[in-house]
Amino acid sequence: MDIIVNEELKAYIDPLTPEEHAALERSILNEGCRDALVLWGDVLVDGHNRYGICRKHGLPFNTVQSALFKSMDDVHLWMIDQHLGRRSVSDFQRGVLALRKREILAARQQLALVDALSAEPAPQATSESTVTSTPITDAPVAPAFKSREDLAKAARLSSSQVVMIEKIQKQAAPELVAAVKSGVISINAAAAVATLPAEEQVAAASAGKEELKLAAKRVRDAKRAAREAMAEHSVPAFAPDDAATEGIDPLATVAALQQRVAALEAENAELRQQLQALRNP
């Protein structure tokens, strides 16, 4: 049979690194293709790397048809679950896959709700005859994640890691995403750098690992300074007596915070100029 390689499916999961692909190729050359390729009709669902290696070297392989798939969403969910269980998948990749699963399940749940609300009532029986029928229903819809904690558990991550991965997906430039995927920068550091303007993210990623670390440190230092300024000038929410708030001028407090913010912005601008000067001596 002719096997169809769907490029969208092939790219749905991050590809192997060159080192991982080379190791797989050596294994197949030495031991053969032990695991069957999974097909949906003629479409290859799982085993793209094995299929490519076997075709390259003219090696035999087995295939198996899956009866689980009724739609492309079924295929995506199966692929996600397969890779979430693999130890070789990085924390960032597992987080991205779990977020994709959340989107698919949430969309399915919404569609099921719409279908249920729009369903027509069953026809009323007449005095002359009674008509009965058995409705045809699809398989039960898998429940969506109820909370971020559920999603984190599925991905074997902490809730804070999930939040950071969401931030990276929404705010990070492609160059920064590539850096965290390759392990050049940690999830924590990438989430910090992702708060910078896109051009600064690209510049830091292009400069390499050390510059990414420095950029993350600058972001954290600025946030820490802002928190300290807020704590220094904050008014207690509950004072035991009037003496606790004596001498505190709310307007002066706001003015002091504004001055501190302006000073931090000026300091940040100066650091950017220094960084630019270092890049372009």
Side-chain angles (χ1 to χ4, degrees), residues 71-132:
S71 68
M72 189 61 75
D73 277 350
D74 290 334
V75 174
H76 287 159
L77 288 172
W78 185 87
M79 293 175 73
I80 289 171
D81 287 340
Q82 291 295 306
H83 284 77
L84 282 177
R86 293 177 180 173
R87 290 178 295 178
S88 60
V89 178
S90 70
D91 288 349
F92 181 76
Q93 289 174 314
R94 286 203 307 274
V96 170
L97 291 173
L99 289 170
R100 288 179 184 174
K101 182 173 182 177
R102 180 180 68 179
E103 292 176 2
I104 295 172
L105 293 180
R108 281 191 165 188
Q109 188 176 61
Q110 185 66 26
L111 182 60
L113 178 61
V114 171
D115 289 343
L117 293 175
S118 60
E120 295 183 1
Q124 298 294 324
T126 65
S127 57
E128 297 179 358
S129 63
T130 300
V131 179
T132 60

Side-chain angles (χ1 to χ4, degrees), residues 14-15 17 22 40 56 85 94 123 149 167 182 199 203 209 212 216 225 228 236 264:
D14 287 338
T17 65
W40 178 31
K56 174 183 175 182
R94 286 203 307 274
E149 287 71 21
K167 180 184 292 186
S182 63
E199 60 273 14
K209 183 176 182 178
L212 283 167
E228 291 173 354
L264 288 172

Side-chain angles (χ1 to χ4, degrees), residues 71-260:
S71 68
M72 189 61 75
D73 277 350
D74 290 334
V75 174
H76 287 159
L77 288 172
W78 185 87
M79 293 175 73
I80 289 171
D81 287 340
Q82 291 295 306
H83 284 77
L84 282 177
R86 293 177 180 173
R87 290 178 295 178
S88 60
V89 178
S90 70
D91 288 349
F92 181 76
Q93 289 174 314
R94 286 203 307 274
V96 170
L97 291 173
L99 289 170
R100 288 179 184 174
K101 182 173 182 177
R102 180 180 68 179
E103 292 176 2
I104 295 172
L105 293 180
R108 281 191 165 188
Q109 188 176 61
Q110 185 66 26
L111 182 60
L113 178 61
V114 171
D115 289 343
L117 293 175
S118 60
E120 295 183 1
Q124 298 294 324
T126 65
S127 57
E128 297 179 358
S129 63
T130 300
V131 179
T132 60
S133 63
T134 302
I136 300 175
T137 59
D138 293 329
V141 178
F145 292 122
K146 294 181 180 179
S147 65
R148 183 176 282 114
E149 287 71 21
D150 289 342
L151 188 153
K153 184 177 180 181
R156 290 180 285 136
L157 300 171
S158 68
S159 295
S160 61
Q161 284 177 306
V162 171
V163 171
M164 288 187 286
I165 292 171
E166 284 183 289
K167 180 184 292 186
I168 292 168
Q169 281 199 296
K170 292 177 181 178
Q171 300 176 227
E175 293 80 358
L176 180 58
V177 174
V180 71
K181 280 184 177 180
S182 63
V184 171
I185 186 173
S186 68
I187 294 173
N188 189 300
V193 177
T195 63
L196 294 172
E199 60 273 14
E200 294 187 35
Q201 296 182 39
V202 173
S206 300
K209 183 176 182 178
E210 293 305 317
E211 182 54 40
L212 283 167
K213 287 183 178 180
L214 289 174
K217 185 177 184 301
R218 287 195 297 272
V219 172
R220 292 169 182 149
D221 289 346
K223 289 183 177 180
R224 186 182 303 109
R227 288 196 299 268
E228 291 173 354
M230 290 291 291
E232 181 181 351
H233 298 286
S234 63
V235 180
F238 299 98
D241 51 43
D242 292 339
T245 57
E246 184 177 356
I248 294 178
D249 184 349
L251 294 179
T253 298
V254 172
L257 287 173
Q258 291 173 337
Q259 291 176 1
R260 179 59 177 162

